[in-house]
Amino acid sequence: MATDAVLLPIDGPHGQRDIRISSPNRVLWPEPGITKLDLARYIVEVGEAFVTANGDRPLSLQRFPAGIDGEQFFSKNPPKGAPDFVRSVMVVYPSARTHPQLVIDEPAAAVWAVQMNTVVFHPWPSRAENSDNPDQLRIDLDPQPGTDFDDAIPAALELRKVLDEVGLTTFIKTSGNRGLHVFAPIEPTREFLDVRHAVIAAARELERRMPDKVTTAWWKEERGERVFVDFNQANRDRTMAGAYSPRALGHAPVSTPIEWDELESTDPRQFTILTVPDRLKSTGDPWARMHENPGTIDQLLGWWNRDLAAGLGELPFPPDYPKMPGEPPRVQPSRARKDA
């Protein structure tokens, strides 16, 4: 029986692998007309930087069998039929149950995930062999209604100063949407809850310095027109789109690492599947050396304890609401929903 499948040759650390791409002409992003094969070729072009950022980590796959406008679901288990060079690792979820999670070690594994209709890749902040202890402190700066990307820029610059004061070197990327993601490499010696408390301490300090511009308020009604510092992205099993991962938005944006001196002139809409490969070739990977000098969260935990002594305690964890028919895949937490 005739098929339009193609074999995509991919070089990697173990030589060339040929990955079969079925339905290569299926359009995933209707607006720019980007197909499944286009996405696979994008992953090949950014493969080394993609694996450097997302490899050797438990990974969730956000899959769109009919394109970004169709149904979607998350895969945490490795999909059936995974080739023998795609491994998995057992991780512990907040419920205390264990579960295998996919790990990508080479570009061919990421292309195989594209063959399984993956559009967005969500890596954990910890390594596969030490998944309980993050080696990245991650802070999501999320502009709220009435604010936009330009409002996140001064918040990110001030956050960089905050983290520099506690000895952490920061790296930044666009979220692929309206926000910014600030990362700091850390020694993998602390569990998720400690890292969450370190993030809360940094977020509260940022909020003190920019009270009219940023907020740590978890409930959307309390945020106002400010940038939300999403501390709950530091929780176990909470992930964000990885570096160089596409996003399921109309113009096919990519969550793109940038240099700090690029930030104030950056237009995140310019970073797409069609443009990022050439950018990477011309500028290099700003995150290539991220983990050469990891820091510690000791001083941030000192701030956390200081705030505890001052009467500030734990902040809300994400509520677990069942999805209702027709409810969007992502909704902002709301006190009204909680009370109902």
Side-chain angles (χ1 to χ4, degrees):
M1 183 175 179
T3 177
D4 60 354
V6 300
L7 285 180
L8 199 59
I10 304 160
D11 293 328
H14 304 290
Q16 181 178 297
R17 301 192 194 277
D18 294 329
I19 303 299
R20 180 179 181 272
I21 304 296
S22 63
S23 303
N25 297 318
R26 178 186 297 147
V27 175
L28 300 181
W29 284 269
E31 181 182 320
I34 293 173
T35 66
K36 184 176 178 181
L37 182 58
D38 293 331
L39 175 56
R41 287 173 171 159
Y42 163 79
I43 293 293
V44 173
E45 289 188 271
V46 302
E48 182 178 350
F50 183 93
V51 172
T52 297
N54 306 301
D56 191 34
R57 298 181 183 279
L59 193 74
S60 297
L61 307 179
Q62 191 175 357
R63 298 164 64 186
F64 294 78
I68 65 163
D69 294 332
E71 292 186 0
Q72 62 170 294
F73 61 96
F74 279 84
S75 285
K76 296 185 177 181
N77 267 349
K80 291 182 179 179
D84 57 9
F85 63 86
V86 177
R87 66 182 172 116
S88 63
V89 64
M90 296 299 292
V91 298
V92 179
Y93 290 111
S95 64
R97 66 185 177 86
T98 58
H99 210 280
Q101 197 113 19
L102 184 78
V103 180
I104 283 177
D105 295 312
E106 57 181 287
V111 174
W112 168 81
V114 169
Q115 160 59 16
M116 304 302 292
N117 302 304
T118 301
V119 168
V120 190
F121 296 78
H122 296 261
W124 279 37
S126 54
R127 298 285 178 172
E129 304 309 320
N130 188 13
S131 61
D132 290 331
N133 298 314
D135 70 341
Q136 292 174 338
L137 181 143
R138 301 174 171 182
I139 299 180
D140 179 11
L141 298 175
D142 186 7
Q144 298 302 290
T147 65
D148 58 22
F149 182 82
D150 288 341
D151 295 292
I153 292 173
L157 293 170
E158 189 63 33
L159 177 59
R160 185 189 189 192
K161 294 178 183 178
V162 169
L163 295 178
D164 181 67
E165 289 174 18
V166 296
L168 293 177
T169 302
T170 48
F171 296 76
I172 192 166
K173 67 181 177 75
T174 63
S175 70
N177 195 356
R178 299 168 59 243
L180 286 164
H181 295 161
V182 177
F183 280 41
I186 58 175
E187 295 176 1
T189 58
R190 301 278 192 169
E191 212 270 342
F192 275 89
L193 188 60
D194 286 335
V195 176
R196 179 180 191 272
H197 290 162
V199 168
I200 291 173
R204 281 174 167 157
E205 182 62 26
L206 180 63
E207 186 177 34
R208 290 185 188 101
R209 299 182 186 192
M210 306 180 73
D212 297 328
K213 300 295 184 182
V214 304
T215 179
T216 60
W218 177 247
W219 305 107
K220 66 177 184 179
E221 295 90 344
E222 300 171 3
R223 294 178 186 172
E225 293 185 0
R226 292 178 288 182
V227 174
F228 173 49
V229 189
D230 191 351
F231 51 89
N232 269 327
Q233 292 292 357
N235 289 358
R236 182 185 290 270
D237 193 34
R238 297 279 290 195
T239 57
M240 56 182 71
Y244 301 105
S245 171
R247 301 300 305 271
L249 299 171
H251 63 292
V254 169
S255 183
T256 306
I258 60 175
E259 300 285 0
W260 279 102
D261 61 10
E262 296 180 273
L263 177 58
E264 292 180 274
S265 60
T266 288
D267 178 359
R269 290 187 59 86
Q270 301 302 311
F271 300 143
T272 72
I273 287 173
L274 301 178
T275 65
V276 167
D278 285 343
R279 167 186 161 80
L280 192 57
K281 291 173 186 174
S282 62
T283 67
D285 178 15
W287 283 22
R289 303 174 65 180
M290 176 186 286
H291 287 278
E292 289 186 359
N293 295 293
T296 76
I297 61 172
D298 294 351
Q299 191 168 340
L300 285 175
L301 291 178
W303 288 5
W304 165 260
N305 289 323
R306 173 202 64 193
D307 290 344
L308 283 180
L312 297 174
E314 188 62 85
L315 290 176
F317 285 81
D320 183 16
Y321 294 116
K323 297 293 183 185
M324 301 301 291
E327 184 177 356
R330 179 179 178 183
V331 295
Q332 293 294 334
S334 165
R335 278 199 187 276
R337 294 176 74 245
K338 178 177 183 291
D339 295 341

